Amino acid sequence: MKHLLMKKICNYLFIMFGVFFACSACAKNPIRTLILTGQNNHNWPVSSVAIKQILENSAQFQVDIISSPAKGEDLSSFIVDFSPYSLVVVDYNGDAWPEETRNNFVQYAQKGGGIIIYHAADNPFPDWKAYSEICALGGWEGRDENFGPYVYWQDNALVKDWSPGPGGSHGKQREYVLSVRNTDHPIVKGLPMQWLHAQDELYDRMRGPGNIKDILYTAYSEKETGGSGREEPLVFTVDYGKARIFHIMLGHAGETLEKNTAMQCAGFQELLLRGAEWAATGKVTRKVPVDFPTADRVVMRMDYK
Ligand code: ZN
């Protein structure tokens, strides 16, 4: 009896110590993260704050937001130093950055920095070769066959299609199913093979250098709602030197933080967190959450946690 009591006390202390250690580790050493925003054809004041809340509510990240001057304004003094950060989230679609900021960004990537290319961040700078390689695929802004092939999923493989035509479009917003294409990658390991994403845009006909490293999720872009009729690559990592780059095309921003369906989807939030941890550290320590969506059930986290 006494032995059993001692065992219980020991178990309790062990658990308490574990909880204390885990919490102090994440509170003491959160991943220093920069969200770069300030211009976008999307509602960046909503998306950047939503991303900050998703990341910080996990207690794994400490997030700074840096906003550029507004579109059309002078960006010559917009010099960004990426070196203090383990993770840079690009939530930007606008005017060209000054050369010093462009060079700093490329150096940050080449030295092995962690980067998230989020939604319309794959639209800008079509003529900046290094940025196109950091994205692997991009859309709009005059992209066509001169910017690289269309890339999509066909017969269990990614194919590159050099047929001419514009790059980047999407059909009507809707809920859609994401299908996993690499079950071993730490970002997706343990997640369902298929899950239903809340209403969002589904980017299609994207083109670019196509240097995808690991294709993680595709979704079928149906012609009936204005799509391509192809299985489109929406979530992947990028092969670019030593950088760890997570490209996620999901997450079209809503009108307000409260009306922000695509970003309030538990699947989007969890994928962002796992991609962020992987990009910053090369590992994913997060457990698969009990509220992850299933193939036929959308799940929302309205408060971004
Ligand atoms: Zn959008």
Side-chain angles (χ1 to χ4, degrees), residues 42 119 201 203 252:
H42 290 72
H119 198 60
E201 287 169 349
Y203 278 11
H252 179 84

Side-chain angles (χ1 to χ4, degrees), residues 75-257:
L75 261 71
S76 58
S77 59
F78 181 60
I79 307 301
V80 181
D81 176 12
F82 300 92
S83 61
Y85 298 100
S86 302
L87 177 66
V88 174
V89 182
V90 188
D91 179 14
Y92 185 93
N93 179 15
D95 295 340
W97 298 337
E99 192 177 354
E100 190 175 341
T101 295
R102 290 204 302 265
N103 290 341
N104 288 351
F105 187 64
V106 171
Q107 274 179 26
Y108 170 80
Q110 287 176 345
K111 284 181 183 167
I115 296 171
I116 294 184
I117 300 294
Y118 152 69
H119 198 60
D122 57 24
N123 292 199
F125 321 136
D127 298 321
W128 178 10
K129 189 166 170 282
Y131 189 80
S132 295
E133 288 170 356
I134 285 168
C135 295
L137 291 176
W140 297 273
E141 301 298 320
R143 284 176 175 82
D144 61 16
E145 59 276 17
N146 297 310
F147 293 74
Y150 293 117
V151 179
Y152 47 88
W153 186 260
Q154 194 176 56
D155 300 327
N156 267 322
L158 277 178
V159 294
K160 291 183 176 177
D161 174 350
W162 287 90
S163 51
S169 63
H170 59 76
K172 196 168 174 280
Q173 286 193 30
R174 61 184 174 90
E175 293 179 354
Y176 53 85
V177 170
L178 287 140
S179 300
V180 77
R181 301 301 176 189
N182 178 339
T183 50
D184 291 332
H185 197 281
I187 295 173
V188 295
K189 200 164 188 171
L191 299 181
M193 301 293 284
Q194 293 196 310
W195 60 275
L196 186 60
H197 180 35
Q199 179 174 311
D200 197 351
E201 287 169 349
L202 196 170
Y203 278 11
D204 65 48
R205 303 178 181 92
M206 303 294 276
R207 57 193 320 164
N211 48 321
I212 290 174
K213 191 171 191 181
D214 292 296
I215 175 70
L216 302 179
Y217 284 109
T218 65
Y220 182 66
S221 169
E222 58 185 27
K223 282 191 170 167
E224 295 76 11
T225 48
S228 61
R230 294 170 180 160
E231 192 77 26
E232 298 285 353
L234 299 184
V235 184
F236 50 84
T237 68
V238 178
D239 188 3
Y240 185 78
K242 286 191 282 183
R244 278 189 299 268
I245 302 165
F246 177 63
H247 187 155
I248 179 164
M249 295 186 187
L250 317 181
H252 179 84
E255 292 165 40
T256 62
L257 280 170

